[in-house]
Amino acid sequence: MFIPLNIIFFNTMEKYRKILIIRPGAIGDTLMLLPSIKILTQHSQVYVAGRRPGINFLFPHTSECFDMDESAWHKLFLRSPAPTGLPPSGVNLVACFINDPKGMIWRNLRFHYPGAEIFVFPSLPEQCLKMHVAQYVAYCLQGCGAGIDSYEAIELACKSPLLVEKDQGLVRQHLMLHPGSGSRKKNYPLFFWVELIQKITLRFEDSRIKKIVLLGPAEQDIKPYFSDIASTWEWEIADIPSPEALLGLMRETEIFVGHDSGMSHLAAMVGARTIVLFKSTDPSMWRPLGPRVVVIKEGKNEEKTLARVFEQLNLNTLPAVSR
C-alpha cells in the first residue's frame, strides 16, 4: 500500500511493537533512517534490512540489521513467492522503501509477513516536493501509524549528533578533507582540493591539529596524486577503514570538508563541524543532519566555493593538540 504525501493515517503505536524497515542503499541513504529509528526505538523493536556498510552504523540503534546482499532477501524480487520465509518473525509492520511499480515486492512481503501491515513506498520523494529524504522516511512511517512525528525526528537530528552518546567524552583533534563521493558529478576538481590543502597548511601552520585526507574505494585512482601532495604539505592519507574504525576516526574529527557523500553524513551525525559542498545535488533533499553543519552550494564556481570554505575555517575553532 502506498500512502500519498497529502494523506496521514494514525494508528495506535501499541499495535506495532515489532517494525521492519527495508531500505537498501549506500551509506548516506541508509543513515537517513537514523532520525526515525531514534524515535521508534523508544516504544518498538526496530529491525532494518539494508546493505553494508551502511547498516553497520545502525547496529547499535536497532534490534537487528539484515544485509540484503546475503541470505534470502532475493525472494522479494521473485515473480512467485518462495516457500520459505524472511526474518524476523512476528513482525507487526513492514515499511519498504523500494520502487515497486508492478506491486511484485508488496505481494512477496504480504506472503512472507502474513500477520503484518505492509506498506511499500518509492525510495525517494519527488524532487518537486523539495523534501529532505530523512523527513520523507519519517513522514511515511508516520503515515503508517508507527508512532512517530516526522518533524520531531528531524529536529532531534539537527540539534544533537545521533551517532554520539550523551556521556561519551570525545577529544576532537582532526581536520579532515574527503575529496570524493560516489559520483564524479558531485565532485570538485583535483586542483580545487590541492589549493585548499595549500591554503589550510599555510594558514594553520602553527596549529598542531592533525590534517587528514580521507580516501575511499571510489578515490583509489587519485590516491597516488594525493599521496604526493600530502607528503609535500605534511598531511596524512587515511584509507577508509572498517565501519567501526571509521566511526572512531570521525568522532575524533573537529572539522570535516567534503562533497555530498556518505562520509559527510557520517561526519555530521558524530557532531563534527561539517562543511559540505553541493555541486549537482539538492541540499533540500540531502543536507547532512547534525548540529554543526554548513552547506555551500555555488555550483561549478570553484573560486567562490573555495573562498566560502575558507571563511568557515576559523583558527579559533582549531584545538591545540599534540601530534
Side-chain angles (χ1 to χ4, degrees), residues 206-279:
D206 294 331
S207 172
R208 293 185 177 181
I209 194 168
K210 186 181 293 185
K211 305 175 188 68
I212 299 173
V213 178
L214 183 68
L215 300 176
E219 293 84 53
Q220 288 307 300
D221 59 331
I222 60 175
K223 182 178 179 180
Y225 182 83
F226 274 101
S227 295
D228 291 341
I229 297 298
S231 176
T232 301
W233 293 91
E234 297 184 342
W235 284 60
E236 293 186 14
I237 295 290
D239 289 312
I240 292 180
S242 68
E244 295 75 19
L246 175 60
L247 191 58
L249 185 65
M250 285 290 190
R251 285 172 174 165
E252 295 176 349
T253 297
E254 170 62 20
I255 298 177
F256 177 95
V257 184
H259 301 117
D260 170 23
S261 71
M263 296 302 100
S264 295
H265 289 287
L266 195 61
M269 285 187 172
V270 300
R273 188 177 179 206
T274 304
I275 303 170
V276 56
L277 315 179
F278 280 84
K279 185 178 181 182

Side-chain angles (χ1 to χ4, degrees), residues 120-193:
V120 179
F121 303 97
S123 57
L124 298 173
E126 295 181 13
Q127 283 193 329
C128 63
L129 296 174
K130 298 292 183 180
M131 176 180 280
H132 196 279
V133 176
Q135 186 168 6
Y136 167 73
V137 169
Y139 193 94
C140 291
L141 289 166
Q142 180 178 345
C144 296
I148 182 174
D149 184 313
S150 61
Y151 291 98
E152 178 188 1
I154 300 305
E155 184 178 16
L156 173 66
C158 291
K159 286 185 176 180
S160 59
L162 297 185
L163 288 173
V164 175
E165 300 300 328
K166 290 183 179 180
D167 59 349
Q168 192 172 16
L170 299 177
V171 178
R172 299 186 182 275
Q173 56 185 7
H174 303 330
L175 188 158
M176 184 182 294
L177 306 183
H178 180 228
S181 74
S183 170
R184 293 185 183 276
K185 293 180 180 180
K186 298 180 182 181
N187 298 349
Y188 281 94
L190 294 181
F191 72 80
F192 171 92
W193 292 98

